[in-house]
């Protein structure tokens, strides 16, 4: 079935650094989404992208829907300790919603 | 925050025993979903419901059944639990059909360990 390759698997960064993660697939998607999961909680939707090439910001977060519709990236600027968690990408197409395996982010003061 | 409550939050059981997880919502959303989360697999859809008594299978439905007798409650049952069903289970809800939009509100999860 469809797979989303999410990278990196984990990141250890210092507070204040910028972060970049991405998701790629061999399949084309109609929508790309990014979720964040805090420890012990369920995922929470951060950003949804609906058009190829779309660039969307939500505070310090910026995400883009790749022009080929097969990839997406998420950037976090000036990281803070509460950015710690697992970030999941998700792609939607043809009545299916596929989740990536997640990027675990650790932020050190 | 969407009003979703999962119970129990933690359960340890033995192989072969039945287990039921409950999801309760106060948002009156039409659609409800059960996912499981495992390392290396992300979130995978088990079953979903698009209304009272209306349910359908997801990609990993074998060994699971669901029921929805009221808008607010969606039950996930493992008739005879196996060790491969050790996982964290998430309930999710959406106002519109999320498999078309991808936009879901998740509960806090239920951690199930099958010994």
């Amino acid at each position: 079935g469809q797979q989303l390759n999410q990278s990196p698997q984990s990141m250890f960064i210092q507070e204040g650094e910028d972060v970049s993660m991405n998701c790629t697939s061999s399949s084309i998607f109609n929508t790309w989404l990014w979720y964040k999961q805090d420890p012990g909680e369920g995922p929470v939707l951060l950003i949804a992208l609906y058009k190829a090439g779309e660039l969307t910001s939500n505070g310090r977060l910026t995400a883009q829907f790749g022009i080929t519709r097969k990839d997406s990236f998420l950037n976090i600027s000036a990281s803070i300790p509460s950015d710690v968690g697992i970030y999941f990408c998700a792609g939607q197409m043809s009545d299916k919603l596929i989740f990536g395996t997640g990027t675990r982010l650790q932020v050190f003061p | 925050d969407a009003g979703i409550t999962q119970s129990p939050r933690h359960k340890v059981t033995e192989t072969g025993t039945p287990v039921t997880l409950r999801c309760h919502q106060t948002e009156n959303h039409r659609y409800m979903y059960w996912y499981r989360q495992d390392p290396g697999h992300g979130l995978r859809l088990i079953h979903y419901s698009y209304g009272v008594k209306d349910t359908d299978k997801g990609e990993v439905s074998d060994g699971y059944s669901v029921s929805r007798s009221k808008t607010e409650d969606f039950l996930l049952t493992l008739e005879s639990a196996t060790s491969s069903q050790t996982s964290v289970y998430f309930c999710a809800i959406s106002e519109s059909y999320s498999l078309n939009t991808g936009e879901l509100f998740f509960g806090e999860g239920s951690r199930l360990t099958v010994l």
Side-chain angles (χ1 to χ4, degrees):
Chain A
Q2 293 102 346
Q3 276 192 314
L4 296 186
N5 301 307
Q6 192 169 346
S7 65
Q9 283 190 324
S10 60
M11 303 181 74
F12 299 83
I13 63 168
Q14 201 147 23
E15 185 176 356
E17 289 183 8
D18 296 343
V19 172
S20 186
M21 59 190 79
N22 68 79
C23 218
T24 61
S25 176
S26 57
S27 302
I28 290 173
F29 290 97
N30 296 326
T31 303
W32 281 97
L33 307 106
W34 287 91
Y35 284 82
K36 183 196 176 197
Q37 184 177 23
D38 289 330
E41 304 286 331
V44 173
L45 180 63
L46 297 174
I47 290 180
L49 303 150
Y50 301 104
K51 279 199 268 192
E54 180 181 355
L55 185 71
T56 296
S57 293
N58 178 3
R60 293 178 296 106
L61 307 179
T62 302
Q64 183 155 31
F65 190 145
I67 198 72
T68 64
R69 296 168 62 193
K70 295 182 180 181
D71 61 348
S72 177
F73 72 75
L74 176 71
N75 287 340
I76 306 172
S77 62
S79 58
I80 60 178
S82 62
D83 290 333
V84 165
I86 305 175
Y87 292 80
F88 290 99
C89 63
Q92 181 279 323
M93 55 91 76
S94 300
D95 273 7
K96 287 188 180 177
L97 182 63
I98 311 294
F99 283 86
T101 52
T103 293
R104 184 179 296 272
L105 179 65
Q106 296 271 24
V107 181
F108 295 101
Chain B
D1 290 335
I4 309 172
T5 306
Q6 290 186 229
S7 60
R9 294 290 314 277
H10 301 272
K11 185 171 182 67
V12 179
T13 191
E14 293 187 347
T15 298
T17 59
V19 175
T20 295
L21 305 179
R22 179 180 182 244
C23 179
H24 178 79
Q25 61 144 330
T26 57
E27 303 297 316
N28 201 36
H29 283 353
R30 178 180 173 186
Y31 299 91
M32 299 185 76
Y33 312 80
W34 276 107
Y35 281 85
R36 62 179 288 174
Q37 183 178 32
D38 304 289
H41 289 278
L43 288 148
R44 292 180 292 173
L45 181 64
I46 305 171
H47 282 279
Y48 66 98
S49 169
Y50 46 96
V52 173
K53 293 189 171 38
D54 292 323
T55 65
D56 206 347
K57 295 179 181 180
E59 62 177 306
V60 290
S61 59
D62 287 348
Y64 302 95
S65 62
V66 290
S67 65
R68 192 167 178 200
S69 58
K70 297 186 287 186
T71 299
E72 57 266 34
D73 290 325
F74 192 31
L75 303 181
L76 176 70
T77 297
L78 292 66
E79 300 290 348
S80 178
T82 66
S83 58
S84 65
Q85 293 175 311
T86 292
S87 186
V88 181
Y89 291 86
F90 286 98
C91 175
I93 64 174
S94 65
E95 202 162 14
S96 57
Y97 184 43
S98 85
L99 299 187
N100 279 339
T101 68
E103 298 182 20
L104 294 165
F105 297 101
F106 284 90
E108 294 182 323
S110 295
R111 183 176 293 276
L112 175 68
T113 302
V114 183
L115 302 176

